[in-house]
Amino acid sequence: MKNKLLPLSITFIFIIIFSLTNCQESSNKDDLKQIVDGLNKKCPKMIDSETKFEGLEFIEPNKIIYKFTLINLSVLNVDTTQFKLALWPGILSTIKISSEMKKLRDNQTNIDYLYLDKYKRHIYTFKIAPENYH
């Protein structure tokens, strides 16, 4: 009798774990969609005299892309190595300490910061994984 219950018990445990994981995943996804929708209502928005925040994009299951345009810059005039060195510390610091980023940190979200030039050409994408900010 015990041998017959073991497979049923294991199956039951897997069903519970799967159900809880799906609920958690759905909740995280809803949180991220809510963040994206809320911020996109305020976009596009000038951050400073050089940078326009175009908006966000949610990529399932757990990724957000922040999109920026540098309105006075052409990619032809950018040293991407220097660009990365100049911006990376500030971006990482913002993600690590900003209260606005707490839900993203709590959800272990992958975060990309995409920068385009004034002609909408790609300059650089910063890819930030949870291990970068924890």
Side-chain angles (χ1 to χ4, degrees), residues 119-132:
Y119 303 110
K120 303 295 185 200
R121 295 179 297 197
H122 183 260
I123 296 174
Y124 196 84
T125 301
F126 293 90
K127 296 185 177 288
I128 303 104
E131 54 268 16
N132 297 122

Side-chain angles (χ1 to χ4, degrees), residues 6-126:
L6 185 61
L8 287 176
S9 297
I10 292 173
T11 302
F12 181 71
I13 289 170
F14 280 127
I15 290 171
I16 290 174
I17 290 171
F18 180 75
S19 298
L20 291 174
T21 303
N22 274 348
C23 289
Q24 183 67 29
E25 239 175 64
S26 178
S27 175
N28 290 345
K29 190 185 329 180
D30 292 343
D31 284 348
L32 294 177
K33 284 181 179 178
Q34 186 177 20
I35 290 167
V36 168
D37 291 343
L39 284 173
N40 279 338
K41 289 177 185 174
K42 300 174 184 176
C43 294
K45 179 180 181 178
M46 290 301 295
I47 306 269
D48 57 37
S49 63
E50 301 290 321
T51 313
K52 186 189 325 181
F53 178 42
E54 301 289 354
L56 291 110
E57 182 179 353
F58 172 66
I59 307 289
E60 291 192 34
N62 194 19
K63 181 179 190 174
I64 288 184
I65 303 172
Y66 285 79
K67 297 178 181 180
F68 299 93
T69 299
L70 299 173
I71 63 169
N72 296 314
L73 193 63
S74 168
V75 69
L76 301 175
N77 300 326
V78 177
D79 177 340
T80 54
T81 301
Q82 289 301 316
F83 186 82
K84 178 185 177 187
L85 289 173
L87 271 66
W88 177 252
I91 289 171
L92 195 55
S93 176
T94 297
I95 293 170
K96 285 181 175 183
I97 64 173
S98 171
S99 60
E100 289 84 15
M101 299 296 246
K102 183 174 179 357
K103 274 193 177 180
L104 299 182
R105 290 191 306 265
D106 291 349
N107 287 331
Q108 300 287 306
T109 305
N110 290 295
I111 305 164
D112 286 3
Y113 277 57
L114 168 69
Y115 284 87
L116 304 172
D117 75 358
K118 63 184 177 181
Y119 303 110
K120 303 295 185 200
R121 295 179 297 197
H122 183 260
I123 296 174
Y124 196 84
T125 301
F126 293 90

